[in-house]
Amino acid sequence: VNAVLTNPNQSGESESGGPTRASDNTVYLLRSRIFTGQYEAGEKLPTERQLADQLGTSRITVRAALKELEAFGFVLARIGSRGGWWVVDPGSLATCWRNWMHSNSHQIEAMLECGETIESEIAAFAASRATADDIQTLETLLAHMKAAASSLGPHFAFHQALAKACGNRYLGQSMLIVANQIFLPSDRVMAGDMEEFYAGHEAIVAAIGDRDPERAREALKRHHRFSRHVMEVEA
Ligand SMILES: [Zn+2]
């Protein structure tokens, strides 16, 4: 079984942190979409062909990756009129999350620390460098987050836009590498204090709009305290 699912720092990935084999890379990319809520519990995935096109790989590689994710309980295949690949139901995905927390317990703090360190500086740089278009995009995605009250899909798009707004693609890519490895389960986020969740993101956008790097950095750290609470990890 592929170790990329349980231990991204050992077999399955290179020293630089990136996956090595094509199927490992596809597992990593599909898994990250589940981890970040881009694909939510109970949601139907695009077809194997569509995924192959999106990810620039073969349908055979996509199928192998999905079978591996199936073995870990993240997805299931259905036949008939609702045929295709689906993310498992919320209860089953919650079990996946607990298993993931258990097998990664020794490195979750390191993941969160790294994510917070990089992203707080991203927020500070964004406050200095974001274009008017970047700020407009962040405001639009914030509105999408509130409108999609039961979905985390727009949330990841917000953080991608924040990474872009910092004006340093290496910092942005570094943040996304970490963010893609943190399993932030939608159901636990949505069961949390949603007022605080939205307020945290609003504070980030407001500080960037006011061109205030220090406040942007603090707002990002406030948001990470929420994430830690969801993960039940104390700083
Ligand atoms: Zn967020």
Side-chain angles (χ1 to χ4, degrees):
V1 194
N2 193 329
V4 76
L5 282 162
T6 51
N7 193 343
N9 293 328
Q10 292 179 9
S11 79
E13 296 199 16
S14 65
E15 283 293 308
S16 63
T20 47
R21 290 183 305 161
S23 60
D24 289 348
N25 190 40
T26 306
V27 170
Y28 171 84
L29 291 170
L30 292 174
R31 188 192 69 162
S32 71
R33 291 181 180 184
I34 297 172
F35 276 16
T36 56
Q38 295 169 81
Y39 296 152
E40 307 230 29
E43 182 176 335
K44 189 176 193 297
L45 298 182
T47 65
E48 291 176 4
R49 170 57 58 206
Q50 288 167 334
L51 288 171
D53 289 347
Q54 284 175 23
L55 302 174
T57 189
S58 70
R59 188 173 165 179
I60 289 169
T61 300
V62 166
R63 177 168 292 196
L66 287 165
K67 291 227 175 255
E68 195 161 316
L69 289 169
E70 183 181 36
F72 276 87
F74 289 103
V75 299
L76 55 85
R78 287 207 178 106
I79 54 169
S81 59
R82 299 175 74 213
W85 289 97
W86 295 70
V87 181
V88 295
D89 65 80
S92 301
L93 199 61
T95 301
C96 289
W97 180 75
R98 283 192 296 273
N99 291 340
W100 178 82
M101 286 291 286
H102 183 72
S103 57
N104 288 276
S105 59
H106 61 295
Q107 55 192 9
I108 287 168
E109 172 54 30
M111 287 183 197
L112 292 172
E113 183 179 276
C114 184
E116 180 175 336
T117 301
I118 297 172
E119 206 177 13
S120 58
E121 293 311 307
I122 281 176
F125 280 122
S128 304
R129 300 176 183 161
T131 65
D133 279 355
D134 289 332
I135 294 169
Q136 181 61 53
T137 299
L138 288 168
E139 284 172 351
T140 302
L141 290 168
L142 190 58
H144 286 176
M145 278 172 57
K146 291 180 180 174
S150 66
S151 163
L152 267 194
H155 176 249
F156 190 67
F158 177 94
H159 285 274
Q160 285 179 306
L162 184 60
K164 180 180 171 293
C166 83
N168 180 330
R169 69 191 181 98
Y170 301 100
L171 266 181
Q173 287 167 1
S174 302
M175 189 281 280
L176 292 173
I177 287 171
V178 183
N180 279 335
Q181 296 192 35
I182 298 176
F183 194 170
L184 192 65
S186 293
D187 60 330
R188 290 182 67 87
V189 175
M190 299 304 161
D193 181 350
M194 293 308 286
E195 293 295 321
E196 170 58 20
F197 183 69
Y198 296 133
H201 292 86
E202 269 167 4
I204 295 167
V205 178
I208 292 171
D210 289 346
R211 303 298 185 185
D212 187 335
E214 191 52 43
R215 246 176 66 217
R217 190 182 284 120
E218 287 309 310
L220 201 289
K221 289 183 177 175
R222 170 182 169 183
H223 173 28
H224 273 256
R225 282 195 292 276
F226 179 92
S227 301
R228 284 176 185 278
H229 182 68
V230 169
M231 310 293 278
E232 294 173 336
V233 178
E234 296 299 325

